[in-house]
Amino acid sequence: MSLLQVQGLKAYYKTEMYGISRTVRAVDDVSLELRPNEIYGVAGESSCGKTTLIKVISGTVKPPLKVHGGSVEYQFKSGKVDILKVSGEELQKNVRWKEISYVMQGSMSVLNPVRKVIKTFEDIITTHEGIRNRGEFLSRIKEHVKLLGLPPDVLNSYPHELSGGMRQRVAIALATVFNPSLIIADEPTTALDVVVQRGVLQLLKEIQGASRNTVLLVTHDMAVHANVADRVAIMYAGRIVEEAPTEIIFRRPSHPYTSHLIDSLPVIGDKSVKNALKGSPPNLANPPQGCRFHPRCPRAIDICGTQIPGMRDLGGGHRTACHRVSEEKTTKEGRP
Ligand code: SF4
């Protein structure tokens, strides 16, 4: 059973300037499935479509972004929801925070700088459930922050009185107060130093393990995926180019772009020079024909410049979109 099914999703930005219209194909034919009780990572460099994918999945599509095809359907405990068709009122009342919540980069986007943390909890709970008994509300919130290992006095603090790591922990506490089915964590540790980052990731993992909900973890940082994700999808230029259980992605990547991302990771004691990819990511208003990675791919062959590689199932939940994988039989190691 799946929590979320995304099929053939196409989401484009359409802009018009000085009479010239432009279509940026930010998400182009993406299909994926999120299962209950897993941490699903989405990786890829900036402008690969990760943020646009989150916007559509969370039902926050606003012009100039428009969905041009595909479906995004949830199977919540409370019932089925087609996020592309659900009304704004229903989304606000029954889906946001209660079924889908967010932990974003820089917790200040969710915390009000002039209100104490307890007031932000109050605002969110009042909007979605109402507060009938203040005593009950306070003990519920105190218990919740205690379970997350936060000191109780955090509730009476203003955001600026807390460290970056503590603010991000509070953001996680807010995102989990209704025990949602899906937590979308968008670059949750990017602004934090390595030690604090580890604590925040550990917290996210512990909460997911205890609540058995699903976390969609979106970050360019492959080391973060290696540490917490159960499965990882790699995005390049608006498409998923590879998806597999985390161990397979790191031990046996089959797509040349995934191999590049993994080979770029720093290794203690390794002083070898890392090879950069030639060129830069494509302009999604005018993406290359065929495989979008072909102008930069060290393994490109003629067909790569003319035909889009289809997604190929390699077994064991591993799928990849690369002509070389179908052309040369996948070896036991998985690399073409
Ligand atoms: Fe490289 Fe061709 Fe595979 Fe694309 S399809 S990743 S260009 S080998």
Side-chain angles (χ1 to χ4, degrees):
M1 197 184 86
S2 49
L3 169 68
L4 168 66
Q5 283 276 2
V6 177
Q7 290 288 348
L9 182 66
K10 295 181 179 184
Y12 304 159
Y13 294 90
K14 284 214 167 197
T15 56
E16 183 114 13
M17 206 179 271
Y18 306 118
I20 300 168
S21 55
R22 209 166 157 255
T23 301
V24 177
R25 295 168 162 79
V27 169
D28 210 2
D29 203 7
V30 163
S31 297
L32 59 86
E33 178 201 26
L34 299 192
R35 301 167 190 157
N37 188 21
E38 72 166 346
I39 301 183
Y40 184 91
V42 175
E45 58 203 324
S46 52
S47 308
C48 70
K50 304 188 298 285
T51 304
T52 306
L53 181 63
I54 291 178
K55 282 184 184 168
V56 182
I57 282 178
S58 60
T60 46
V61 176
K62 289 185 193 139
L65 177 63
K66 206 173 159 206
V67 173
H68 286 261
S71 60
V72 182
E73 291 181 350
Y74 284 92
Q75 184 62 60
F76 297 128
K77 282 180 220 100
S78 53
K80 207 169 179 173
V81 171
D82 180 338
I83 207 88
L84 302 181
K85 293 192 183 137
V86 71
S87 71
E89 192 189 345
E90 171 72 8
L91 201 62
Q92 190 60 26
K93 199 170 154 216
N94 293 325
V95 178
R96 288 204 183 121
W97 292 97
K98 286 180 134 181
E99 293 288 10
I100 306 173
S101 70
Y102 319 81
V103 179
M104 297 181 189
Q105 180 182 355
S107 42
M108 290 310 280
S109 53
V110 67
L111 293 170
N112 187 330
V114 295
R115 284 170 81 71
K116 288 184 174 178
V117 168
I118 187 72
K119 290 288 179 191
T120 303
F121 274 101
E122 202 174 319
D123 293 343
I124 290 173
I125 292 182
T126 305
T127 307
H128 293 89
E129 270 186 8
I131 295 171
R132 284 175 289 279
N133 180 321
R134 193 157 175 81
E136 258 176 39
F137 158 76
L138 286 173
S139 56
R140 173 182 168 189
I141 298 306
K142 280 181 189 161
E143 185 60 22
H144 182 64
V145 297
K146 190 175 154 199
L147 271 175
L148 268 56
L150 298 176
D153 56 0
V154 85
L155 292 170
N156 283 316
S157 306
Y158 286 97
H160 71 268
E161 294 174 322
L162 305 172
S163 66
M166 191 55 82
R167 281 202 299 267
Q168 204 60 335
R169 284 163 175 267
V170 169
I172 293 173
L174 283 163
T176 51
V177 71
F178 291 116
N179 192 18
S181 302
L182 174 65
I183 301 166
I184 300 175
D186 183 10
E187 302 281 0
T189 56
T190 298
L192 306 174
D193 69 51
V194 179
V195 177
V196 178
Q197 191 180 84
R198 200 166 54 189
V200 170
L201 289 174
Q202 189 61 32
L203 178 62
L204 203 56
K205 204 170 158 102
E206 278 171 17
I207 292 172
Q208 190 279 326
S211 308
R212 302 176 69 78
N213 41 25
T214 301
V215 174
L216 174 62
L217 175 64
V218 179
T219 174
H220 67 283
D221 190 336
M222 290 296 284
V224 169
H225 290 299
N227 280 311
V228 293
D230 297 307
R231 296 190 295 140
V232 180
I234 309 293
M235 275 191 91
Y236 184 81
R239 293 196 168 129
I240 289 180
V241 294
E242 186 163 10
E243 181 198 62
T246 309
E247 194 180 343
I248 293 178
I249 279 281
F250 283 89
R251 286 190 191 277
R252 293 184 277 133
S254 65
H255 194 282
Y257 180 60
T258 312
S259 300
H260 162 74
L261 292 179
I262 291 164
D263 291 346
S264 308
L265 282 170
V267 177
I268 294 170
D270 178 9
K271 295 199 172 81
S272 62
V273 178
K274 306 279 180 197
N275 291 326
L277 279 177
K278 63 180 179 185
S280 48
N283 175 1
L284 294 182
N286 185 21
Q289 295 279 307
C291 173
R292 290 184 176 179
F293 188 52
H294 88 263
R296 309 175 75 190
C297 181
R299 298 185 55 78
I301 49 177
D302 287 350
I303 191 178
C304 303
T306 55
Q307 282 186 31
I308 299 170
M311 195 53 99
R312 183 179 157 87
D313 189 349
L314 305 180
H318 189 184
R319 58 189 186 117
T320 194
C322 173
H323 290 302
R324 296 299 293 261
V325 173
S326 54
E327 181 215 43
E328 301 165 16
K329 253 187 158 348
T330 311
T331 65
K332 209 166 175 226
E333 275 65 53
R335 284 183 193 248

